[in-house]
């Protein structure tokens, strides 16, 4: 599912939260919701763990009628086993992280994975990263989709370069492509304190699990085959030995993908890690989340 247009029109359903009838329902464990705002209200009512039990049940139901991306199952399991305090930090950030998705879509020239767009949006979430910096990362990621020569310049593993040279071209910007592009643009990753200008949170969040369930199958397949390169190249093991304190598992995956960029040296990666951890400490947050990492990467873009 992309956010540029609603999903495939289905039989009209009544929203379990507000009663509105919608032809584009969001399904969650045999119930239907008209919007992310109503899903958000439901999650607030039942709590983090029940919500993820519901999403897992939805995945299991969907598997009976079609393939579910394995990465979706993997990432959902990370949330289910997350520490309560970390989950609370992450959940509260979701209302801020995605606030700039619509603005970023205005300059997209290639299809984007919903999660990749969300991650890039999170770089803008505290008001310290200019929109132009995020758009530089956006442009680099889209150039990788359009131009295989750019992939040859920045992608390290030969297997991943071959995947990105597939006949017919790539479907769009995945999270892996975004991570490699952000790594390429991270010229000045050293930490320095900045005035927090976080805006008032939005009243809704992106429905992450639905983005994978409704994703175009070809796009989802590309996402999975690219992301597995983190494991094939031992990127996760490497970054786990470089971090201090608690990190969200999703964020560790994004961090590890920076190493898929052939120009990302270990010394620069360590500086990015230190900056993200210092930002977490400055905010007195429980652990390092997507927000801390992508703000760090956004700040690192050369002005």
């Amino acid at each position: 599912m992309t956010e540029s247009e609603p999903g495939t029109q289905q039989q009209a359903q009544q929203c379990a939260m507000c009663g509105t009838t919608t032809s584009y329902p969001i399904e969650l464990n045999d119930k239907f919701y008209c919007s992310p705002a109503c899903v958000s209200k439901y999650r607030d009512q039942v709590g983090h763990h029940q919500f993820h039990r519901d999403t897992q049940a939805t995945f299991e139901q969907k598997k009976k009628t079609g393939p579910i991306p394995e990465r979706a199952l993997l990432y959902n399991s990370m949330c289910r086993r997350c520490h309560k305090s970390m989950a609370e930090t992450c959940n509260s950030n979701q209302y801020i992280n995605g606030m700039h998705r619509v603005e970023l879509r205005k300059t997209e020239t290639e299809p984007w994975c919903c999660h990749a767009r969300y991650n890039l949006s999170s770089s803008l979430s505290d008001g310290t990263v200019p929109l132009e910096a995020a758009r530089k990362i956006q442009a680099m990621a889209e150039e990788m989709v359009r131009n295989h020569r750019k992939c040859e310049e920045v992608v390290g593993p030969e297997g991943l370069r071959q995947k990105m040279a597939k006949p017919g071209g790539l479907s769009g910007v995945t999270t892996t492509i975004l991570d490699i592009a952000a790594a390429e643009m991270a010229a000045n990753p050293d930490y320095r304190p900045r005035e927090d200008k976080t805006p008032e949170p939005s009243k809704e969040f992106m429905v992450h699990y639905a983005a994978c369930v409704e994703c175009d199958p070809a796009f989802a397949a590309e996402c999975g085959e690219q992301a597995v390169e983190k494991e094939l190249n031992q990127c996760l093991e490497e970054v786990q030995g470089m971090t201090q304190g608690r990190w969200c598992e999703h964020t560790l995956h994004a961090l590890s993908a920076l190493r898929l960029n052939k120009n990302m040296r270990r010394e620069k990666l360590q500086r990015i890690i230190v900056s993200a951890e210092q930002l977490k400490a400055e905010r007195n947050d429980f652990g390092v989340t997507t927000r801390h990492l992508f703000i760090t990467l956004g700040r690192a873009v050369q002005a």
Side-chain angles (χ1 to χ4, degrees):
M1 179 179 70
T2 67
E3 295 176 300
S4 57
E5 58 185 32
T8 304
Q9 186 169 1
Q10 304 174 35
Q11 180 180 354
Q13 299 287 349
Q14 188 174 41
C15 178
M17 182 57 61
C18 71
T20 298
T21 299
T22 176
S23 296
Y24 300 98
I26 300 172
E27 184 177 354
L28 182 65
N29 199 11
D30 291 330
K31 294 183 180 180
F32 298 91
Y33 299 86
C34 67
S35 66
C38 280
V39 176
S40 173
K41 291 177 183 177
Y42 172 74
R43 187 181 70 173
D44 290 344
Q45 282 185 0
V46 301
H48 169 76
H49 290 293
Q50 180 58 48
F51 182 79
H52 281 290
R53 282 194 287 268
D54 287 338
T55 63
Q56 188 65 28
T58 307
F59 280 137
E60 295 301 327
Q61 293 163 10
K62 292 284 188 180
K63 284 171 66 176
K64 297 175 183 177
T65 58
I68 296 295
E70 288 300 318
R71 286 278 150 177
L73 300 174
L74 171 64
Y75 291 152
N76 190 58
S77 69
M78 293 178 189
C79 288
R80 293 177 67 202
R81 62 175 175 260
C82 188
H83 189 284
K84 180 181 178 182
S85 296
M86 176 70 91
E88 289 173 351
T89 298
C90 182
N91 289 341
S92 64
N93 284 343
Q94 285 184 10
Y95 296 93
I96 302 169
N97 286 352
M99 288 179 63
H100 293 85
R101 303 194 313 275
V102 174
E103 187 65 30
L104 288 168
R105 276 172 46 196
K106 294 177 182 178
T107 47
E108 288 176 3
T109 61
E110 299 289 344
W112 275 67
C113 157
C114 294
H115 290 105
R117 183 187 294 121
Y118 173 88
N119 288 350
L120 185 58
S121 172
S122 70
S123 71
L124 301 167
S125 63
D126 76 341
T128 65
V129 175
L131 180 60
E132 185 57 33
R135 284 182 169 155
K136 287 181 179 180
I137 297 173
Q138 181 186 65
M140 171 62 71
E142 293 184 347
E143 180 66 12
M144 290 174 63
V145 172
R146 285 191 296 269
N147 183 0
H148 179 61
R149 290 184 179 178
K150 179 59 65 176
C151 293
E152 291 286 346
E153 292 175 9
V154 301
V155 175
E158 175 61 27
L160 183 55
R161 289 201 300 272
Q162 291 177 2
K163 291 174 181 178
M164 291 184 169
K166 62 190 299 183
L170 296 170
S171 297
V173 177
T174 62
T175 54
T176 301
I177 290 175
L178 171 64
D179 296 337
I180 295 171
E184 187 66 18
M185 302 305 295
N188 301 305
D190 293 324
Y191 174 82
R192 65 179 177 85
R194 306 190 191 196
E195 181 184 357
D196 187 346
K197 300 178 182 179
T198 299
E200 285 297 314
S202 168
K203 294 183 179 180
E204 67 177 37
F205 68 100
M206 190 186 89
V207 185
H208 288 269
Y209 91 92
C212 286
V213 170
E214 302 295 336
C215 188
D216 173 75
F219 203 159
E222 280 184 17
C223 177
E225 70 180 13
Q226 292 171 15
V228 75
E229 291 288 332
K230 292 175 289 188
E231 287 89 33
L232 294 177
N233 291 280
Q234 291 79 50
C235 298
L236 275 167
E237 290 87 343
E238 180 178 6
V239 299
Q240 285 171 338
M242 299 172 68
T243 57
Q244 300 290 325
R246 190 180 295 273
W247 280 62
C248 154
E249 286 191 65
H250 294 113
T251 310
L252 275 175
H253 271 256
L255 176 69
S256 72
L258 303 183
R259 283 294 274 158
L260 297 174
N261 183 308
K262 68 166 61 173
N263 303 314
M264 177 54 66
R265 301 292 180 254
R266 185 179 175 89
E267 178 271 335
K268 179 181 281 189
L269 183 63
Q270 188 67 67
R271 290 159 62 196
I272 290 171
I273 291 169
V274 169
S275 292
E277 291 175 341
Q278 287 182 308
L279 179 59
K280 182 271 296 184
E282 174 190 312
R283 303 288 166 81
N284 198 31
D285 288 330
F286 185 76
V288 179
T289 66
T290 299
R291 187 181 187 214
H292 302 110
L293 176 60
F294 279 90
I295 289 173
T296 296
L297 292 170
R299 289 179 179 182
V301 174
Q302 184 73 47

